[in-house]
Amino acid sequence: RCQLAPPQRALQASAVLRRVSDEQKKEPWASPSQFDSPPADQQPDREPQGPSYTGQGSQESEDYESEEQLRHRILTAALEFVPEHGWTAEAIAEGAKTLGLSVAAAGMFHSSGSELILHFVSQCNAKLSELLEQEQKRVQLGEAEKKPTDQFLRDALEARLRMLIPYIEKWPQAVSVLLLPHNIPSSLSLLTSMIDDIWHYAGDQSTDFNWYTRRAVLTGIYNTTELVMMQDSSPDFKDTWRFLENRVADAMNMGNATHQVQSTGEALVQGLMGAAVTVSEAGTRAEL
Amino acid sequence: VYQVFESVAKKYDVMNDSMTLGIHRVWKDIFVHKMNPSPGTILLDVAGGTGDIAFRFINYVRSVWERQLQRRLRHHQNLSWPEIAKSYQEDKSNSLGDSQVVVCDINKEMLKVGKQKAEHLGYSEGLSWVIGNAEELPFDDDKFDVYTIAFGIRNVTRIDLALQEAYRVLKPGGRFLCLEFSRVSNPLLSRLYDLYSFQVIPVLGEVIAGDWKSYQYLVESIRRFPPQEEFKAMIEDAGFFKVDYQNLNSGIVAIHSGFKL
């Protein structure tokens, strides 16, 4: 997603794209204590540390904000209006208005609102990564205890799902848009990278077949819990967290059960590995 | 240019229908759909003489506004009926949600025809008719949300000036939209199109409007107009960002769009 901005037209002073120097006076990336508050709070306008923007500083000779950054600002501002207008171009138009832009700026995005939803999801994933990173640092510094895996997974998923709470009424609409065929590649990749992240911080060292099963299992837990959450009316989503707890416990037990079939599994895997090695050696021999 | 359109004004709509076999209505519908205006948008339609784009804009915005109102009412089901009645009163005087369109044209006759059409079709609110030259608009800076020019920019002598004026009068974040005949990429279609343009259209012009020369001029001005990519570069030179175009009917007509960012 490393999109480099098109070269700035040096002669025209842009009406809206702000100078980078202005932006850097603003607060840097929000501190972790703010993560639990609704994401509707104005995010800091720039994301200078985000990996998607590497290379832009070196590309442009002028220090103007790029189109991409402006789009992110508009989408972030639009999130505030989602509870009222849904994930639509109307919400984006209202967001643009708060930034002092014309409502026509919403025309920069698809009218389905897909980009708004994808932006929100990737923002949530980034926040989750930050959270997990902070937690890991605390453990390394000895300030906190390392949690057992099931507790860790539960907490990570709960934190991530709680980010949906301010938008939970319109979330079913978002899910259906994310499942549209042309959105599936993006939404799927966001989902898998989030799950990867969680396992990474959980200390997953596996390089064998288990890697896939763990991803699949956790993805399943996340998706089902999300669905439960959307129709949960208990106070503070108590029922959802209990459901989550049960599913994670199930997954842990399943891990034990698989040990019994492991010998068959191992033999199978070794057979496959052997086949792969043979094929690759045959290939190199053919090249020689 | 002025004289061409003076003679053409009254028969303009009829000629459009016959020349394009009515497809121009579809093009204009697609154009306004692409604009996707929300209520509260202020539109400047340049060279919009007989009001086609303006009327479509008003219809679109009205239906979006009504849908929004309905949604709002549905959420407020615990209002008392005096409050609901009061909201109806407010809404009646504001059927377009504060949207407005200013139709600007260099030619008085075209505007006159447009005004008559508006009366005839029952459009009263939100419309203004102004005489003006696209190269030098009689408006202040940063005034409009959307600037449209449908089948008008090829008639402008200095296109770059018109683009600069468009940039000037748009608000930050505003959108420039242009619907215009363009270069057909498909060679077979291009031959057929040329044949049709040069043989059939001036004849239609003579038969329907009694004016061969004007329609000859029209067809030639279409050929003279820069192709899609070149026009896109011109728009970018005027300072617009995120400029792109959409071909309709494989290039017979193209919609160019840019944002003042």
Side-chain angles (χ1 to χ4, degrees), chain B residues 10-252:
Chain B
K10 292 212 179 62
K11 293 285 176 54
Y12 186 74
D13 289 327
V14 177
M15 269 307 295
N16 275 347
D17 269 333
S18 51
M19 277 196 293
T20 62
L21 305 172
I23 305 182
H24 75 108
R25 295 163 195 256
V26 175
W27 290 334
K28 289 173 183 159
D29 284 340
I30 296 180
F31 187 59
V32 173
H33 261 87
K34 189 175 168 94
M35 196 198 309
N36 193 17
S38 46
T41 301
I42 307 186
L43 170 68
L44 173 65
D45 184 24
V46 174
T50 52
D52 277 345
I53 301 290
F55 301 147
R56 284 175 171 76
F57 169 81
I58 291 181
N59 289 342
Y60 195 102
V61 147
R62 186 181 289 147
S63 61
V64 173
W65 180 239
E66 281 173 2
R67 216 180 339 125
Q68 278 185 2
L69 287 180
Q70 276 179 358
R71 217 191 311 144
R72 232 173 275 175
L73 272 183
R74 240 188 292 144
H75 284 163
H76 294 162
Q77 284 181 343
N78 50 354
L79 284 182
S80 64
W81 359 317
E83 288 172 320
I84 297 182
K86 192 164 72 141
S87 74
Y88 286 161
Q89 278 291 74
E90 289 166 357
D91 298 338
K92 221 183 353 181
S93 57
N94 187 10
S95 66
L96 296 180
D98 296 324
S99 328
Q100 278 180 57
V101 54
V102 177
V103 181
C104 179
D105 200 290
I106 197 174
N107 188 302
K108 227 184 332 155
E109 296 303 313
M110 294 288 276
L111 287 178
K112 235 187 353 181
V113 172
K115 265 193 245 186
Q116 286 169 355
K117 240 171 68 171
E119 259 178 58
H120 182 65
L121 294 170
Y123 293 99
S124 48
E125 275 186 80
L127 269 177
S128 311
W129 308 85
V130 174
I131 299 186
N133 182 348
E135 295 174 8
E136 208 181 321
L137 292 171
F139 305 110
D140 272 335
D141 301 358
D142 300 343
K143 280 276 171 285
F144 296 98
D145 291 303
V146 185
Y147 173 110
T148 55
I149 183 163
F151 301 120
I153 202 159
R154 70 175 187 282
N155 296 313
V156 172
T157 338
R158 295 280 311 272
I159 298 183
D160 52 336
L161 287 182
L163 293 174
Q164 282 171 29
E165 279 294 277
Y167 189 87
R168 180 180 69 79
V169 302
L170 276 176
K171 286 189 206 165
R175 189 173 194 184
F176 168 86
L177 279 167
C178 172
L179 178 67
E180 192 52 79
F181 290 106
S182 201
R183 223 36 77 83
V184 177
S185 40
N186 183 332
L188 174 61
L189 190 59
S190 172
R191 296 253 313 275
L192 289 172
Y193 181 53
D194 284 347
L195 206 67
Y196 181 76
S197 306
F198 287 105
Q199 308 301 330
V200 177
I201 290 182
V203 173
L204 282 178
E206 182 60 38
V207 165
I208 298 180
D211 192 345
W212 173 288
K213 281 219 187 67
S214 304
Y215 288 92
Q216 179 89 357
Y217 165 78
L218 241 63
V219 173
E220 284 167 6
S221 68
I222 294 177
R223 290 293 171 293
R224 272 203 305 267
F225 192 71
Q228 286 88 327
E229 281 295 332
E230 203 180 307
F231 188 49
K232 172 178 164 188
M234 289 169 79
I235 300 177
E236 284 174 346
D237 283 339
F240 290 99
F241 285 85
K242 200 168 186 313
V243 181
D244 62 11
Y245 58 86
Q246 181 188 352
N247 276 342
L248 300 178
N249 291 123
S250 62
I252 297 183

Side-chain angles (χ1 to χ4, degrees), chain A residues 8-9 12-17 67 70-71 84-85 89-90 101-105 107-108 111, chain B residues 36 38 41 68 71 145-146 167 171-175 236-242 259-261:
Chain A
Q8 295 287 325
R9 286 168 277 283
Q12 286 289 344
S14 166
V16 169
L17 300 185
E67 265 174 56
L70 179 64
R71 288 163 67 98
E84 187 189 335
H85 293 279
E90 284 162 21
L101 295 176
S102 152
V103 291
M108 285 198 286
S111 47
Chain B
N36 193 17
S38 46
T41 301
Q68 278 185 2
R71 217 191 311 144
D145 291 303
V146 185
Y167 189 87
K171 286 189 206 165
R175 189 173 194 184
E236 284 174 346
D237 283 339
F240 290 99
F241 285 85
K242 200 168 186 313
F259 290 88
K260 175 176 178 173
L261 289 182

Side-chain angles (χ1 to χ4, degrees), chain A residues 134-147:
Chain A
Q134 299 284 341
E135 201 181 298
Q136 193 185 53
K137 280 213 184 85
R138 282 203 299 268
V139 167
Q140 281 172 352
L141 293 175
E143 291 171 16
E145 293 224 341
K146 184 164 165 54
K147 295 184 204 168

Side-chain angles (χ1 to χ4, degrees), chain A residues 177-242:
Chain A
V177 169
L178 286 178
L179 288 175
L180 290 174
H182 64 93
N183 284 332
I184 287 187
S186 331
S187 61
L188 205 54
S189 84
L190 283 173
L191 179 63
T192 47
S193 58
M194 173 189 67
I195 299 288
D196 269 349
D197 242 1
I198 297 181
W199 272 120
H200 169 75
Y201 285 106
D204 179 30
Q205 303 282 2
S206 60
T207 49
D208 58 353
F209 193 57
N210 270 330
W211 194 87
Y212 293 102
T213 25
R214 288 189 202 195
R215 296 298 169 290
V217 163
L218 195 59
T219 314
I221 298 180
Y222 177 78
N223 283 336
T224 44
T225 315
E226 190 183 24
L227 289 175
V228 166
M229 191 172 167
M230 287 196 279
Q231 48 79 54
D232 184 9
S233 50
S234 62
D236 196 38
F237 299 92
K238 251 185 342 91
D239 290 345
T240 309
W241 312 135
R242 202 151 27 99

